[in-house]
Amino acid sequence: MHESPERPALPGREKSADERGMLTLSSLDHLHEAISIVDKELRLQVWNRRFVELLDFPKELMRVGLPFAVLFEYNARRGEYGPGDPQTLVAERLELAGQFRSHSFERTRPDGTVLRIRGEPIADGGFITLYEDITARKSAEAELREHREQLEARVRERTAELRALNAQLTQEIEERERVDTALRESENRVRLITDTVPVLIAYLDAEQRYTFVNQKHAEWFGMPSDAFLGQVFGEMLEPPLARRLRNHVKTALEGRGTHVEYELSTASGRMYVRSYFIPHLSYRADCGGDRVVGCFMLGEDLTEYRQAQMALNQAQKLKAVGQLTGGIAHDFNNLLTVILGNLASVEEGLRERPEQYKAVSTAMNAARRGADLTRRLLAFSRRQTLQPSPLSPRQQLQDIAELLKRTLDASIELETVADDTVWAIWVDAGQLANAALNLAINARDAMPGGGRLRIEARNVTLDRAYVSRYPDVVPGDYVRFTVSDTGSGMAPEVLEQAFEPFFTTKGTGSGTGLGLSMVYGFVQQSGGHVRIRSQLGSGTSVELYLPRYVSQQGAGAVHAPVAAGFDESAWRGRESILLVEDDADVRDFVARTLLGLGYTVRQAANGRAALEILNTGALLDLLLSDMTMPGGISGLDLIVEAKRRRPSLKILCMSGYSEQLTAGLKRLEYSLLEKPFLKPDLARAVRSTLDRPAGTDAGDFARA
């Protein structure tokens, strides 16, 4: 058939008339009948592959615009029209064709093939002709006539015999009825079994038509079992999947078993299936052995297994990325501590030189943005410092709603839902509000033309069945915050990467790609988990599962407010401090700052060197130690040993992230100074720790 080069249609664009025409022409090649279309000049315009094969025309002869007389002449010369002058035979057929009248006749080719030829005129003056190979049918009709004559003779001969066998047949019928009854009972038992087992079962005959499906198979498609019977396999599947599975059906019908795993769109959503295609062999006397008469199709529902596997893979990937991110943020915080500290010292000396002062201030602002970036990375890696406290979800939603009303466009309808029965939770209120704000901003960007944003808090209990599908979840009581929008939604490939840091679908300069990753890290660090559901064109729903608050878990650490000004004289001292820091630049900056404030400073590059100083009996008032150090002795190990040797020693911890502080240090009296920090932060932290009475709860200090 004449074809033009196909050009792929753009996604979401309706096919043009030319594209639809080419699609129609391509489909003609799959017809069993041969087709030819000529214009009013009797020139060939359209034909399918079957036309060339059935009429045995040379492929090189075929072209668009070929006078049909050429094909008549080709047939006449090879004897297709019987004996006679070829020119006369061609002229007769051209005269009939030129009348453009409907016709239907049969013609027997020299090789014995019988063709049924039907022609109809078309609107523009052309003509469409269909050619059908009816050889088998004609042969069957001839055989049928012969058999009928033979049967009539045999009927006459057997009439007398049948009368004699009447009594015997009656007995046989009664016996058959008993067998049929037993067979129906057996079939009912088989049906009951097949409808009960959690497996999709179907049977296809040799023509790939359904002759049986069980209840489970029918439920997947939301249709009764009878609706499948007689249907060709694949008609209810997506075309790409149908083509893929038909290859497996074909393999089974050729006598070889096969299996395949695939995704399936059903009335209840996206499913994952493993299907086995098993050939059905039956003895056939006409072929002298076993012959494939159909195939069984057995399907396993792998949806829960695949979901659990995907959730595990995602959790492992995010955990690995989080570990890498946390390590980078820790090292970056050390660098920022040095940069910010030294820039601040330079800035103080340049107040009388405006241009240089402005340049240093610009660098300070950039470094502060870097510090903010590391805090976001630490949020994702679950190593930020949290300030949890018992919270009422209903009150939190009210506060969040007030915050969002000043953030969202008027075209977005905001709805919050929570009643008095929602359990209390133990989380950081600021981080919860920040998470809601990040999700709301994403929802706003997904609804440029307006829409509805709904935030709902509900009590849920996650049992072991749920937990078995999500390996990062602990069974128990949770409060589920659901943030849903009516926006554009996400594609599956975007959804898989949604929580990864720096991944964003927004344009350059429109986002850092850390919003969802911060939400993920905050919820995970708070003992909960996150689920996200989205579909293109149907909006997005993010579920935050936060653990129920059941008992007092200890007083939360409170960040000390940072005053606008810094009076150095109020924070000076003469105590002796043991400084432990493995980064030489950070250690140098901290030591110089403390010496400038009047303190005596002893320095150690790791935990072993610090213990050696403690063993000397030197007078020490404060241990100022980093928490992550090489050498086999961590900051926590050092603090525990220092408190054992010197119970009255005050402790101030420095850390770029606080994951290790949430458990090991909870039972110790300590203060925390988060990196990066400036001179005022260091001065206040040291002075506040030294001035704190022994035995009181320690608070950590504000970020730089």
Side-chain angles (χ1 to χ4, degrees):
M1 179 177 62
H2 175 67
E3 297 180 349
S4 297
E6 294 184 5
R7 290 176 290 181
L10 295 175
R13 178 175 69 80
E14 183 178 359
K15 290 183 173 60
S16 66
D18 288 343
E19 290 171 331
R20 291 196 301 272
M22 290 307 302
L23 183 61
T24 302
L25 292 177
S26 297
S27 67
L28 295 179
D29 283 339
H30 300 281
L31 295 179
H32 183 70
E33 294 180 318
I35 293 178
S36 67
I37 300 177
V38 298
D39 58 19
K40 58 186 177 182
E41 302 297 332
L42 292 181
R43 292 182 178 274
L44 183 64
Q45 298 297 326
V46 177
W47 67 95
N48 66 352
R49 183 174 59 242
R50 182 62 174 161
F51 176 77
V52 178
E53 296 171 349
L54 183 60
L55 299 181
D56 197 24
F57 287 130
K59 293 183 179 179
E60 62 272 15
L61 182 64
M62 308 305 295
R63 60 182 174 84
V64 174
L66 177 72
F68 215 74
V70 174
L71 298 180
F72 284 152
E73 183 178 356
Y74 182 85
N75 274 343
R77 292 191 180 279
R78 63 176 177 175
E80 289 283 334
Y81 305 141
D85 177 51
Q87 296 299 327
T88 303
L89 295 173
V90 171
E92 291 173 352
R93 279 156 178 76
L94 284 175
E95 181 181 357
L96 291 174
Q99 297 175 8
F100 295 100
R101 290 186 303 181
S102 300
H103 62 263
S104 178
F105 63 91
E106 296 178 1
R107 176 166 66 84
T108 302
R109 297 190 61 204
D111 62 359
T113 301
V114 182
L115 300 179
R116 182 184 179 188
I117 303 173
R118 292 171 293 166
E120 293 289 341
I122 53 181
D124 64 350
F127 209 76
I128 180 170
T129 306
L130 282 77
Y131 308 80
E132 182 182 3
D133 184 354
I134 60 172
T135 306
R137 187 192 309 170
K138 300 296 287 186
S139 176
E141 289 174 354
E143 290 180 4
L144 183 61
R145 285 192 299 271
E146 182 181 352
H147 290 166
R148 188 189 306 117
E149 294 172 356
Q150 294 175 353
L151 285 173
E152 289 175 353
R154 292 186 63 187
V155 167
R156 288 191 296 270
E157 295 173 358
R158 294 285 293 175
T159 299
E161 296 178 12
L162 290 176
R163 291 193 181 99
L165 293 174
N166 207 14
Q168 182 179 349
L169 289 175
T170 302
Q171 182 180 357
E172 290 179 357
I173 290 172
E174 294 175 352
E175 180 65 24
R176 180 172 296 180
E177 288 178 350
R178 289 193 294 270
V179 172
D180 289 343
T181 300
L183 180 60
R184 283 194 297 271
E185 293 177 355
S186 176
E187 289 177 346
N188 290 336
R189 286 194 294 270
V190 172
R191 167 63 75 172
L192 178 62
I193 294 172
T194 57
D195 285 344
T196 303
V197 296
V199 177
L200 280 68
I201 303 176
Y203 182 83
L204 305 174
D205 63 16
E207 302 299 326
Q208 299 190 18
R209 294 184 181 277
Y210 285 98
T211 61
F212 173 84
V213 296
N214 72 336
Q215 189 63 31
K216 183 69 173 178
H217 193 288
E219 288 174 356
W220 268 56
F221 292 91
M223 299 172 59
S225 301
D226 293 344
F228 287 85
L229 303 183
Q231 297 290 328
V232 176
F233 175 76
E235 290 184 349
M236 286 172 284
L237 302 175
E238 298 170 350
L241 177 59
R243 288 193 297 270
R244 180 184 176 193
L245 295 185
R246 283 194 184 108
N247 290 332
H248 289 272
V249 173
K250 181 181 178 182
T251 300
L253 293 177
E254 291 173 352
R256 303 189 307 274
T258 180
H259 70 277
V260 62
E261 293 185 11
Y262 55 94
E263 296 182 26
L264 179 65
S265 292
T266 70
S268 57
R270 202 73 176 169
M271 302 294 184
Y272 298 91
V273 191
R274 178 190 291 126
S275 288
Y276 297 87
F277 299 87
I278 304 170
H280 176 205
L281 302 177
S282 178
Y283 179 78
R284 295 288 298 270
D286 56 351
C287 62
D290 290 340
R291 181 179 178 183
V292 179
V293 296
C295 77
F296 296 95
M297 186 172 64
L298 309 180
E300 292 182 275
D301 183 355
L302 302 180
T303 304
E304 291 188 0
Y305 170 77
R306 286 289 299 273
Q307 288 176 343
Q309 186 180 52
M310 292 168 63
L312 176 61
N313 292 341
Q314 181 73 352
Q316 291 174 337
K317 180 172 70 173
L318 291 177
K319 180 180 180 181
V321 174
Q323 291 173 341
L324 175 62
T325 302
I328 293 173
H330 172 263
D331 293 341
F332 196 42
N333 272 334
N334 280 342
L335 297 176
L336 287 173
T337 299
V338 177
I339 293 171
L340 285 168
N342 286 287
L343 282 177
S345 299
V346 174
E347 187 180 40
E348 291 178 2
L350 295 175
R351 294 186 182 276
E352 304 302 325
R353 302 168 67 180
E355 292 186 3
Q356 290 85 345
Y357 181 79
K358 181 179 179 181
V360 174
S361 296
T362 302
M364 285 281 288
N365 290 334
R368 289 190 180 96
R369 288 197 299 272
D372 180 66
L373 177 62
T374 60
R375 278 194 290 274
R376 296 187 181 194
L377 292 174
L378 290 173
F380 167 72
S381 60
R382 291 170 273 173
R383 295 176 176 179
Q384 63 179 335
T385 301
L386 298 179
Q387 305 171 55
S389 61
L391 300 178
S392 164
R394 183 178 184 184
Q395 181 61 48
Q396 289 302 304
L397 285 190
Q398 292 177 356
D399 296 342
I400 290 171
E402 291 298 322
L403 173 65
L404 295 181
K405 286 177 182 177
R406 299 189 294 271
T407 305
L408 301 176
D409 298 333
S411 61
I412 295 178
E413 176 187 350
L414 175 64
E415 179 185 8
T416 58
V417 179
D419 55 38
D420 292 332
T421 63
V422 179
W423 298 319
I425 54 177
W426 176 266
V427 297
D428 186 315
Q431 291 295 334
L432 177 60
N434 191 39
L437 180 62
N438 274 307
L439 295 175
I441 291 174
N442 284 346
R444 179 199 64 190
D445 294 343
M447 299 184 291
R452 184 173 68 256
L453 174 63
R454 176 185 174 94
I455 307 178
E456 180 182 15
R458 296 279 186 192
N459 296 336
V460 295
T461 298
L462 305 182
D463 56 17
R464 295 192 178 277
Y466 179 91
V467 171
S468 66
R469 300 196 300 271
Y470 302 103
D472 60 330
V473 182
V474 177
D477 294 334
Y478 292 81
V479 173
R480 181 181 63 203
F481 287 83
T482 305
V483 182
S484 55
D485 63 61
T486 57
S488 55
M490 304 181 192
E493 61 272 15
V494 173
L495 195 61
E496 290 182 2
Q497 297 178 268
F499 292 128
E500 296 180 11
F502 300 114
F503 175 78
T504 179
T505 57
K506 301 177 182 178
T508 303
S510 300
T512 63
L514 288 173
L516 281 178
S517 62
M518 290 174 62
V519 173
Y520 176 85
F522 154 66
V523 175
Q524 290 281 329
Q525 190 175 356
S526 299
H529 71 287
V530 185
R531 291 290 172 265
I532 183 169
R533 311 173 193 277
S534 186
Q535 190 172 358
L536 282 176
S538 300
T540 300
S541 177
V542 182
E543 299 174 347
L544 313 182
Y545 292 80
L546 295 170
R548 176 185 183 183
Y549 173 71
V550 292
S551 63
Q552 185 69 21
Q553 300 181 20
V558 179
H559 286 276
V562 179
F566 175 65
D567 182 6
E568 182 177 310
S569 62
W571 305 99
R572 298 179 64 85
R574 302 186 63 83
E575 288 88 347
S576 181
I577 300 174
L578 173 56
L579 169 62
V580 189
E581 168 63 60
D582 63 292
D583 189 297
D585 292 331
V586 176
R587 188 170 67 249
D588 177 69
F589 161 67
V590 174
R592 284 190 289 105
T593 301
L594 294 176
L595 290 171
L597 292 171
Y599 295 102
T600 299
V601 180
R602 291 177 176 270
Q603 301 182 42
N606 52 55
R608 295 189 184 280
L611 290 178
E612 291 176 1
I613 295 175
L614 288 172
N615 286 336
T616 63
L619 178 63
L620 295 171
D621 300 290
L622 174 70
L623 171 61
L624 174 58
S625 176
D626 188 26
M627 296 308 298
T628 304
M629 295 182 294
I633 298 179
S634 67
L636 175 61
D637 296 333
L638 174 61
I639 291 171
V640 171
E641 183 61 22
K643 291 293 288 183
R644 186 185 69 80
R645 298 184 184 188
R646 301 193 182 193
S648 62
L649 186 64
K650 300 292 181 65
I651 304 294
L652 175 59
C653 304
M654 297 182 295
S655 179
Y657 54 80
S658 59
E659 180 185 41
Q660 68 272 48
L661 302 176
T662 58
L665 290 177
K666 185 170 288 187
R667 64 183 183 276
L668 302 174
E669 295 178 8
Y670 74 97
S671 297
L672 171 64
L673 177 60
E674 288 190 72
K675 296 177 181 178
F677 50 79
L678 297 175
K679 178 179 179 180
D681 306 303
L682 175 61
R684 291 188 185 96
V686 170
R687 190 67 263 161
S688 298
T689 303
L690 287 168
D691 293 342
R692 188 183 72 244
T696 59
D697 288 336
D700 60 352
F701 298 88
R703 300 180 178 92

